[in-house]
Amino acid sequence: MNVFIKQLKQLGAGCYISSLFLGCILYADDILLQSPSIIGLQAMLDKCAEVAKVLLLEFNVEKSHCVVISKKCASNITPMNLCGNPVEWRESIKYLGVYLQRGSSIKFDIKHSKRAFYAACNTIFLHGFGADEIALLNLQETFSLSVIMYAMPALRLTTRLINELNAC
C-alpha cells in the first residue's frame, strides 16, 4: 500500500505542511485523500486508479465519497471520477469509524458512536437479564465503553461533544 503514498507524493498534488506530505492518509486498505483544490483531488484519484490497475487492485466506488472542509465551499460541485465511476460529494464521510462533517473547519459527528454505544448497552441488558450487577457493569465497561471511545483520544472534541460523551 506504500506505493500509493509514494506515487501521490511524486504527483505533487494534495496537502502539505511545510515539506510534510499529508495528502494521503492510509490505514490498511482505507485511504483518505486531502487536497486544497478539486483539480488536485481529481489528479490524485486518477493516480490512485492508475496504481490500482498496475497492482491488480480495485476500488469500491460505492464506499468512496468526497466532503468539502473549507471556509469557501461551493454548494454544487460536479462529482469526482474514480476508475470511470462518479464519486459523490456528501455532507459527512466515515473514515476508520469517525465521521467528518462538511463545513468551514473539521467537525466530528459522534451521533453514530452514541447510537452504537446505546445499542451495545441495550443488547447487554437484554441478554444479561437476571445476571449479577457487577458482571453486567464489567460487560458494559468492556464492550459498550470501547464502542463509544473508539478513536476519541485522537479527535479534538468541543466541550459540547465531551459533555455528550459524558452523558452516555
Side-chain angles (χ1 to χ4, degrees):
M1 296 305 290
N2 199 35
V3 70
F4 283 101
I5 297 172
K6 286 181 179 181
Q7 291 292 314
L8 289 166
K9 188 175 181 180
Q10 287 177 356
L11 182 64
C15 292
Y16 286 83
I17 294 180
S18 223
S19 62
L20 180 64
F21 177 63
L22 296 173
C24 177
I25 298 173
L26 216 152
Y27 183 80
D29 64 346
D30 288 325
I31 300 174
L32 178 69
L33 301 178
Q34 302 178 101
S35 175
S37 73
I38 292 173
I39 293 169
L41 179 59
Q42 186 58 62
M44 294 173 79
L45 289 169
D46 293 342
K47 181 56 75 174
C48 283
E50 178 185 312
V51 171
K53 187 174 183 179
V54 170
L55 296 175
L56 301 175
L57 297 174
E58 289 184 21
F59 284 98
N60 185 345
V61 181
E62 297 295 318
K63 292 183 178 181
S64 301
H65 309 288
C66 298
V67 67
V68 174
I69 300 173
S70 172
K71 291 182 180 171
K72 298 177 182 178
C73 58
S75 58
N76 190 9
I77 306 171
T78 57
M80 298 285 95
N81 184 320
L82 177 61
C83 304
N85 298 299
V87 179
E88 296 181 8
W89 294 92
R90 296 279 174 102
E91 289 300 312
S92 70
I93 60 169
K94 180 181 176 184
Y95 183 70
L96 300 178
V98 176
Y99 287 81
L100 304 170
Q101 290 181 309
R102 174 189 170 124
S104 60
S105 62
I106 294 177
K107 294 178 185 157
F108 303 103
D109 184 358
I110 64 167
K111 71 179 175 233
H112 302 281
S113 298
K114 287 172 36 180
R115 191 175 303 127
F117 168 76
Y118 286 124
C121 288
N122 289 334
T123 300
I124 289 169
F125 286 134
L126 176 69
H127 295 290
F129 182 76
D132 178 59
E133 286 182 16
I134 298 299
L136 287 175
L137 286 173
N138 282 330
L139 287 170
Q140 293 292 4
E141 183 178 11
T142 302
F143 297 103
S144 303
L145 192 58
S146 63
V147 167
I148 200 162
M149 292 307 296
Y150 177 75
M152 292 300 165
L155 307 179
R156 187 174 178 197
L157 300 175
T158 63
T159 303
R160 182 184 63 81
L161 292 178
I162 291 169
N163 290 336
E164 283 185 39
L165 290 173
N166 284 335
C168 292

